[in-house]
Amino acid sequence: MPTSVPALSLEGVSVSYGHVRAVTDVSFTAHPGRVVALLGPNGAGKSTLLRAICNQATKVSGRVTLFGADISTTRTHRITHRGVALVPEGRRVIAPLTVQENLQVAAGGARRLEPRDRTAAIERVYHLFPPLQRLRDRPSALLSGGEQQMVAIGRALVARPDVLLLDEPSMGLAPVMVETIYGFLKEHGATLGETAVVLAEQNRSALAVADEVVVLSRGRVVHAGPASSLPEDVLTEAYLGSATPEPPVPASSGAN
Amino acid sequence: MDDFLSLFGVYDFAVRDALVLVLVSLALYVLLSAGIFAVPQVGLMAIGSYGSAILSVDMGVPVALAVPAAAVIAGAVGVLLAALVARLNGIYLAIASIAFSEVVRVAVLNVPLTGGSQGKVGISREVTDLWICGAVLLATVALVWLRRSRHGLVISAMRVDTLMAQHQGINVVRVRTLLFGLSGLLSGTAGALQAHTAGFIDPGQFNFDLLTKLLAVVVIGGMTFVGGSFVGALVIFGLPFTLEGFAEYQVLVNGLIIVLVVAFAPGGILGVLSRLLARLRRSDAPGEAGSPVVPGPGDAPAGIGPVALDADDVRVTFGGVHALDGVRLTVGQGEVLGVIGPNGSGKTTLINALSGAYTPSSGTGAVDGVPLALLWGRPHLLARAGIARTFQTIRLMDDKSVAANVALGFPPQVPRRSEATRELLVRMGLDQISGVPAGELPYGVRRQVEIARALARNPRVLLLDEPTAGMSPTEREGVFTAVDAARRHGLAVVLVEHDVAMMRRFCDRLMVLDFGRVLAEGSPDDVLDSKEVIDAYIGSGALA
Amino acid sequence: MDFWLQQTVNGIVLGSVYALYASGFGLVMASLRIFHVAHAAVFTWGAVVAWDLTTRLGWPLVATLPVVMLAAGLLNVAAYFLLIRHLLKRQDAELAAFISSMGGLIILVEVAHHLLDGAVERMPAGVFPVSPLELGPVRITTLHATMVVVSIGLIALLAWGMAHTQAGREVRTVAADRETASLLGINVDRVSAGVFFASGALAGLAAAMVATAFNVVSADLGSGYLVIALAAMVVGGFGSVAGALAGGLLIGVASTYATGYLDSSYRDLVVFALLLGFLVVRPTGLFHTRSELARV
């Protein structure tokens, strides 16, 4: 494990929506230049956690720090200005805007680029995702899911964030498209440099590009460690439950 | 006797005016309390005024007939308007209704018999104070009755959540049309009475200012209460008489009160009072709930019966994306079919298509013998055909009691609704909390209330969309017990749930969706142990 | 033929000012999906400020315009923070914001009433050098020509800015998805306040010109033109700046034709019937395209 200051650190974060406790006491760190895979089944709390980092979900307790500075109560747009970029669940491209305009909004909004550097930054995104080049002037509502995902990721990368949060980028995409989307993560050093990446996925294919893995189940961390040595039964248990007979329904159940 | 309001001395005109405006405010209440953002009342009132005046002055109809006739005409125009603007909602509906009033206002200047911009004069002043008070009293009694009946629940449900209301078998288009008619009837009555009280009509009075005044009355009093119009009118028309020198600033203060009420007391004066009252009463209400479920009579565990729901080739497309791509699904009586699949695989879309929230582009099959092709995209018809559902985020009327929420689920033809509600609550173990507002219950109990509401219709099929998401183990237990009771009752259950471990144990059959298609189907163990499913779910190890 | 041409030109003069009023109105409506009726009062106050500056300080009209725009813009920003902002997260935000805005309208109109003492005031003579121009068979005054040029010029500028500047893109982003906008680093509150400012400034400018052209300043000025502005907005299509221009011109020309060929009393009837007709038959207006600001 690197000993440098973590780019992003969560300490005991819990999140609730009204009556529903979505995330309980989650802690982990992400270091510059490394990818953390955040694995877990549907409803494990991955999206909520990423939204909480950006202060779009209300934290009940816990602390989020960026290079040691507390950003727990910083407003969302300021967190973005400070170098955190989220690719949200469901892509959320700005439908009436063209591909180019989506990238322009992000390049300007992030406040990390001088106006004269923005064009070059946007061109870099087209270079990273060549299929977008010919779609430049198309309203993004008319793109396919995979193309929209490229726009969403390109939008997050355009201002070279320090922390990149990806929320299920492969969701609903065909395998070929998943590979395209993941391509830039595999050549991490070349495209992302010192950016710390948190990749939330349901599918374990995320492990192939990750350095570390955190497994969430029902809002809690059930495993954390290097990505290369994730015990098989951890995922099976978290996702499918055990096949061994348990007391008949109704019974309380859980991975914890 | 005929003008007993003159006991108010020099203020008698003001009191008559105020009463007429209370009547129009009630017309405003009728629409706003159902969550319909429409304000055509000023135009409808003008129609009532001119209608009655023309009938009595130019056509010689006796006033006693002209007033109700004009009211009916205004009601009919209301129904017509509802049909015209049936496609509009929100801001568009508000603008359309304002435009309607303006069209009426300028139209009366240009049609014969209205007296044009000079106004209409020489109208018989036969209307006595008794008529006015009688009309207000009648309207109030009728509206209170309406509110207490099942229709009141329907109206509240529409205000809180139109989609939820549709899934309870409510034809919201029809209800909206009828409410427009009722609003027209009340506005028209008020207009007619006013014409015959004053003896003339000034076309200038039916302007935007009148609307602002009416809105002020309703908002300040509380727009979801029948009494709100009276309380609001008392404030708006009463303050100038009680405060010396206030009249000059009255309008200004009205505006200020509106802004403050919306910001700090959205329920108006009566809303604040009723909340205070509820807080006083709460001290003796039971806090927790959820005694164990007692299986009802005839709930013997039966096997899986004949097919209750059978759908084939269901397709739903969103802007080129195939959310459901030819799904086939059957579920038998007394069977729980679990639907699982990765995020975005189409599980919730399936529930939404089967319940009518989305319209599939194709799909055949039948529910309880009724062809689905006739029902797609019409939630109220699917509900009536026997499909009940719960929602991913619980949709209840939070300010209404548990009993009222469950009662909403019963179809209108059920006799002795309150008794049936009580029986169902006992069966679900919710009878101890039947009087508690749904919004104050813990999450798990709220879900049980939602399931009870779904069962009230005595459906053939129950669709459950992630009923236990975010619950504690004890809460889950309560929900699964309730579902199990439904199964033993012979219902066909379609259950979407993330917790695969729980699904493995609980469901009779599992169906796995991936990319909007059925990937596998069969007994839970067979399905979950197949390599195909594990690959789709967890992924096939490292990416090539 | 000449009469027709003259009526058309008169309609364009009227319509260009309606368009100015409507485009700001539509901008707010499309960005926040609220019916901000107090916009009508901001219009009134634009006229009142212009009247005050020209009468008491003796400024020429042209000098007052920037001040009027600034004042009306700031007034609308205040309306956003005091009447609208706290209601946007409510479940019934549309209704609550409409009623709150209605309260604001009542207050602002009433204050104007007290200030003007309920009277209808006139702009002082000579605030703008009016001389007739003859373009072939058509007569137009310098004032009217200025109104058309300024209105259409500003709307064109606004349309260009919405399409091609970072600020314009940010406004469209906020309109489409407030939550994602803040993830992209946009200060949603500031953009919303900016939209209210621009909208108020346009209303103020339109009001100053209307007050001068029709020589009337009263507390009810804005409310009187409210439904006409709504008509221009709906006919053109919500939130489309070019649409507001087309809608304004159409409404302006339709109302001068109604006055010229029928009778002045039919003018409002034609306009309001157009509004109601469009809402019933084609609620998305003339200029509804996929890339447009508002979703319907």
Side-chain angles (χ1 to χ4, degrees), chain B residues 76 135 164 284 498:
Chain B
M164 180 273 282
D284 38 78
H498 283 150

Side-chain angles (χ1 to χ4, degrees), chain A residues 39-163:
Chain A
L39 288 187
N42 282 345
K46 304 185 296 288
S47 295
T48 307
L49 194 58
L50 297 191
R51 287 166 50 80
I53 293 170
C54 297
N55 205 2
Q56 285 205 319
T58 315
K59 292 175 281 294
V60 183
S61 58
R63 232 161 69 96
V64 180
T65 56
L66 187 65
F67 294 111
D70 195 326
I71 55 163
S72 306
T73 55
T74 308
R75 289 168 70 193
T76 302
H77 65 272
R78 293 200 187 284
I79 292 177
T80 305
H81 296 172
R82 290 172 71 165
V84 178
L86 169 66
V87 177
E89 185 183 15
R91 324 189 229 285
R92 305 285 282 268
V93 295
I94 304 301
L97 271 62
T98 64
V99 170
Q100 172 78 3
E101 287 175 329
N102 264 280
L103 297 175
Q104 285 174 320
V105 165
R111 302 282 172 84
R112 291 161 69 85
L113 296 170
E114 294 297 318
R116 63 172 180 278
D117 297 333
R118 287 179 195 162
T119 315
I122 290 170
E123 288 311 315
R124 218 176 48 232
V125 171
Y126 288 124
H127 184 70
L128 201 58
F129 297 112
L132 291 183
Q133 270 175 22
R134 61 181 176 82
L135 303 170
R136 248 172 227 262
D137 296 320
R138 185 169 298 190
S140 39
L142 304 181
L143 304 183
S144 75
E147 291 160 350
Q148 289 193 351
Q149 192 60 274
M150 289 185 224
V151 173
I153 295 175
R155 215 168 51 176
L157 287 178
V158 71
R160 288 194 186 267
D162 297 321
V163 175

